[in-house]
C-alpha cells in the first residue's frame, strides 16, 4: 500500500509526463523480486522483503556485500536485470512496449509486461484525495 502511494503511482505520473513530452520512448519496470534471505543493510535492520535499490544491487552484482549465499532465484533476477539494462543501453529499446501501454514486472523467474499496471489502485488514491501524500517528503 505504501509502495503504491509513495512510489508506484507517482512514478507512473512521471513516466506519463515524460512519454508525453519526449519523442524517445519511455520504458517502465517494477522489480517484483525480493531477497531469498534477510539481507545485511548499513543499519541493524535485516531486510526480508523487496526494497529500493534491490534491482541496483542485482545489476551491479553486489549480492556478496549484502548476503552470504544468494539463491538461484536471486541470481536469475540478477541476470534478468542485467539483460534488460544492457539491451536498453545497446539498442535503446527493451522487450516490452513503451509506457504507458506496458510496464514490465521483473522478478526471479521472468520478465512479464502488464498493461496499465495498478491503474485502479492509483485512480483510487487520486480520486479520494490521498495522492498529494505521494509528493510529501
Amino acid at each position: 500500500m505504501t509502495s503504491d502511494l509513495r512510489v508506484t503511482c507517482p512514478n507512473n505520473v512521471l513516466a506519463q509526463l515524460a512519454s508525453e513530452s519526449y519523442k524517445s520512448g519511455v520504458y517502465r519496470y517494477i522489480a517484483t523480486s525480493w531477497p531469498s534471505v534477510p539481507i545485511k543493510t548499513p543499519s541493524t535492520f535485516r531486510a526480508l522483503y523487496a526494497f529500493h535499490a534491490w534491482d541496483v544491487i542485482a545489476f551491479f552484482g553486489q549480492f556478496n556485500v549484502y548476503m552470504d549465499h544468494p539463491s538461484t532465484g536471486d541470481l536469475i533476477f540478477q541476470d534478468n536485470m542485467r539483460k534488460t539494462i544492457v539491451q536498453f543501453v545497446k539498442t535503446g529499446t527493451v522487450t516490452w512496449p513503451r509506457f504507458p501501454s506496458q510496464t514490465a514486472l521483473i522478478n526471479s523467474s521472468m520478465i512479464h509486461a502488464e498493461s496499465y499496471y495498478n491503474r485502479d489502485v492509483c485512480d483510487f488514491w487520486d480520486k479520494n484525495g490521498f495522492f498529494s501524500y505521494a509528493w510529501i517528503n
Side-chain angles (χ1 to χ4, degrees):
M1 180 168 89
T2 301
S3 291
D4 290 334
L5 181 58
R6 297 292 306 253
V7 179
T8 301
C9 300
N11 281 339
N12 285 349
V13 170
L14 294 174
Q16 181 67 43
L17 291 171
S19 71
E20 293 169 357
S21 301
Y22 300 106
K23 293 179 183 177
S24 59
V26 173
Y27 300 94
R28 174 134 163 66
Y29 78 85
I30 296 173
T32 57
S33 174
W34 58 85
S36 60
V37 297
I39 67 163
K40 300 174 272 188
T41 63
S43 70
T44 58
F45 175 73
R46 292 186 71 78
L48 176 58
Y49 302 106
F51 59 93
H52 303 295
W54 177 237
D55 52 343
V56 176
I57 291 168
F59 177 76
F60 287 105
Q62 294 296 301
F63 287 147
N64 62 325
V65 174
Y66 298 95
M67 59 181 22
D68 294 326
H69 304 288
S71 70
T72 300
D74 295 328
L75 297 174
I76 292 170
F77 173 63
Q78 176 178 274
D79 189 51
N80 285 341
M81 287 305 306
R82 286 179 169 178
K83 285 179 182 175
T84 299
I85 302 298
V86 168
Q87 178 185 351
F88 180 74
V89 169
K90 285 182 175 180
T91 68
T93 63
V94 290
T95 58
W96 62 90
R98 295 176 176 186
F99 188 87
S101 67
Q102 299 277 299
T103 298
L105 307 178
I106 303 176
N107 62 40
S108 57
S109 61
M110 66 179 173
I111 300 171
H112 167 76
E114 193 169 298
S115 298
Y116 303 104
Y117 179 75
N118 267 17
R119 176 182 269 177
D120 293 342
V121 172
C122 295
D123 287 347
F124 171 83
W125 291 122
D126 188 31
K127 289 177 185 173
N128 289 287
F130 295 107
F131 200 66
S132 61
Y133 175 73
W135 306 105
I136 298 169
N137 195 356

mmCIF file of all heavy atoms in Angstrom, residues 1 10 12-13 19 21-22 38 54 61 93 103 107 131:
data_model
loop_
_atom_site.group_PDB
_atom_site.id
_atom_site.type_symbol
_atom_site.label_atom_id
_atom_site.label_comp_id
_atom_site.label_asym_id
_atom_site.label_seq_id
_atom_site.Cartn_x
_atom_site.Cartn_y
_atom_site.Cartn_z
ATOM 1 N N MET A 1 0.817 -1.177 0.000
ATOM 2 C CA MET A 1 0.000 0.000 0.000
ATOM 3 C C MET A 1 0.873 1.258 0.000
ATOM 4 O O MET A 1 0.662 2.145 -0.808
ATOM 5 C CB MET A 1 -0.920 -0.016 1.218
ATOM 6 C CG MET A 1 -1.820 1.179 1.307
ATOM 7 S SD MET A 1 -3.118 1.000 2.533
ATOM 8 C CE MET A 1 -2.296 1.627 3.966
ATOM 9 N N PRO A 10 3.247 7.645 -8.157
ATOM 10 C CA PRO A 10 3.979 8.839 -8.596
ATOM 11 C C PRO A 10 4.920 8.565 -9.775
ATOM 12 O O PRO A 10 5.057 9.393 -10.674
ATOM 13 C CB PRO A 10 4.776 9.252 -7.354
ATOM 14 C CG PRO A 10 4.021 8.678 -6.209
ATOM 15 C CD PRO A 10 3.432 7.404 -6.718
ATOM 16 N N ASN A 12 4.396 6.368 -12.068
ATOM 17 C CA ASN A 12 3.520 6.286 -13.245
ATOM 18 C C ASN A 12 3.228 7.686 -13.782
ATOM 19 O O ASN A 12 3.237 7.907 -14.997
ATOM 20 C CB ASN A 12 2.203 5.580 -12.903
ATOM 21 C CG ASN A 12 2.350 4.085 -12.769
ATOM 22 O OD1 ASN A 12 3.371 3.497 -13.124
ATOM 23 N ND2 ASN A 12 1.320 3.459 -12.231
ATOM 24 N N VAL A 13 2.961 8.631 -12.893
ATOM 25 C CA VAL A 13 2.698 10.014 -13.303
ATOM 26 C C VAL A 13 3.928 10.594 -14.001
ATOM 27 O O VAL A 13 3.827 11.191 -15.086
ATOM 28 C CB VAL A 13 2.292 10.890 -12.101
ATOM 29 C CG1 VAL A 13 2.269 12.366 -12.470
ATOM 30 C CG2 VAL A 13 0.949 10.446 -11.554
ATOM 31 N N SER A 19 6.588 10.511 -21.246
ATOM 32 C CA SER A 19 6.171 9.931 -22.525
ATOM 33 C C SER A 19 5.417 10.943 -23.386
ATOM 34 O O SER A 19 5.441 10.855 -24.609
ATOM 35 C CB SER A 19 5.328 8.673 -22.303
ATOM 36 O OG SER A 19 4.054 8.994 -21.790
ATOM 37 N N SER A 21 6.101 14.186 -23.282
ATOM 38 C CA SER A 21 6.969 15.336 -23.518
ATOM 39 C C SER A 21 8.156 15.061 -24.430
ATOM 40 O O SER A 21 8.736 15.994 -24.971
ATOM 41 C CB SER A 21 7.504 15.858 -22.178
ATOM 42 O OG SER A 21 6.435 16.221 -21.335
ATOM 43 N N TYR A 22 8.534 13.809 -24.577
ATOM 44 C CA TYR A 22 9.728 13.472 -25.343
ATOM 45 C C TYR A 22 9.381 12.564 -26.516
ATOM 46 O O TYR A 22 8.431 11.796 -26.459
ATOM 47 C CB TYR A 22 10.767 12.760 -24.457
ATOM 48 C CG TYR A 22 11.218 13.603 -23.292
ATOM 49 C CD1 TYR A 22 10.790 13.320 -22.002
ATOM 50 C CD2 TYR A 22 12.060 14.696 -23.481
ATOM 51 C CE1 TYR A 22 11.201 14.108 -20.933
ATOM 52 C CE2 TYR A 22 12.468 15.483 -22.419
ATOM 53 C CZ TYR A 22 12.032 15.186 -21.152
ATOM 54 O OH TYR A 22 12.433 15.960 -20.100
ATOM 55 N N PRO A 38 16.939 -12.698 4.572
ATOM 56 C CA PRO A 38 17.121 -11.325 5.077
ATOM 57 C C PRO A 38 18.555 -10.856 4.788
ATOM 58 O O PRO A 38 19.504 -11.596 4.997
ATOM 59 C CB PRO A 38 16.881 -11.459 6.580
ATOM 60 C CG PRO A 38 16.008 -12.660 6.714
ATOM 61 C CD PRO A 38 16.475 -13.605 5.624
ATOM 62 N N TRP A 54 17.149 -2.786 -4.524
ATOM 63 C CA TRP A 54 17.370 -4.236 -4.703
ATOM 64 C C TRP A 54 17.761 -4.520 -6.152
ATOM 65 O O TRP A 54 18.641 -5.323 -6.432
ATOM 66 C CB TRP A 54 16.118 -4.997 -4.297
ATOM 67 C CG TRP A 54 16.176 -6.477 -4.504
ATOM 68 C CD1 TRP A 54 15.303 -7.227 -5.254
ATOM 69 C CD2 TRP A 54 17.116 -7.410 -3.965
ATOM 70 N NE1 TRP A 54 15.664 -8.549 -5.207
ATOM 71 C CE2 TRP A 54 16.778 -8.692 -4.423
ATOM 72 C CE3 TRP A 54 18.240 -7.283 -3.147
ATOM 73 C CZ2 TRP A 54 17.503 -9.827 -4.093
ATOM 74 C CZ3 TRP A 54 18.954 -8.420 -2.809
ATOM 75 C CH2 TRP A 54 18.585 -9.672 -3.282
ATOM 76 N N GLY A 61 25.866 -6.721 -9.331
ATOM 77 C CA GLY A 61 26.470 -7.937 -8.799
ATOM 78 C C GLY A 61 27.009 -7.791 -7.394
ATOM 79 O O GLY A 61 28.067 -8.323 -7.071
ATOM 80 N N THR A 93 15.941 0.146 -26.722
ATOM 81 C CA THR A 93 14.631 -0.471 -26.525
ATOM 82 C C THR A 93 14.764 -1.664 -25.572
ATOM 83 O O THR A 93 15.864 -2.094 -25.253
ATOM 84 C CB THR A 93 14.020 -0.980 -27.856
ATOM 85 O OG1 THR A 93 14.871 -1.998 -28.386
ATOM 86 C CG2 THR A 93 13.861 0.149 -28.861
ATOM 87 N N THR A 103 4.022 -1.955 -18.599
ATOM 88 C CA THR A 103 5.034 -1.853 -17.549
ATOM 89 C C THR A 103 5.556 -3.259 -17.323
ATOM 90 O O THR A 103 4.764 -4.196 -17.182
ATOM 91 C CB THR A 103 4.437 -1.295 -16.241
ATOM 92 O OG1 THR A 103 3.954 0.028 -16.485
ATOM 93 C CG2 THR A 103 5.478 -1.263 -15.126
ATOM 94 N N ASN A 107 11.195 -10.237 -12.102
ATOM 95 C CA ASN A 107 11.418 -11.000 -10.873
ATOM 96 C C ASN A 107 12.430 -12.102 -11.107
ATOM 97 O O ASN A 107 13.153 -12.082 -12.095
ATOM 98 C CB ASN A 107 10.101 -11.522 -10.303
ATOM 99 C CG ASN A 107 9.382 -12.472 -11.235
ATOM 100 O OD1 ASN A 107 9.988 -13.310 -11.893
ATOM 101 N ND2 ASN A 107 8.077 -12.351 -11.296
ATOM 102 N N PHE A 131 -3.616 11.254 -3.025
ATOM 103 C CA PHE A 131 -2.460 11.253 -3.903
ATOM 104 C C PHE A 131 -1.460 12.354 -3.572
ATOM 105 O O PHE A 131 -0.256 12.194 -3.791
ATOM 106 C CB PHE A 131 -2.897 11.344 -5.365
ATOM 107 C CG PHE A 131 -1.866 10.881 -6.325
ATOM 108 C CD1 PHE A 131 -1.472 9.554 -6.355
ATOM 109 C CD2 PHE A 131 -1.266 11.759 -7.195
ATOM 110 C CE1 PHE A 131 -0.511 9.111 -7.236
ATOM 111 C CE2 PHE A 131 -0.292 11.317 -8.082
ATOM 112 C CZ PHE A 131 0.077 9.993 -8.106
#
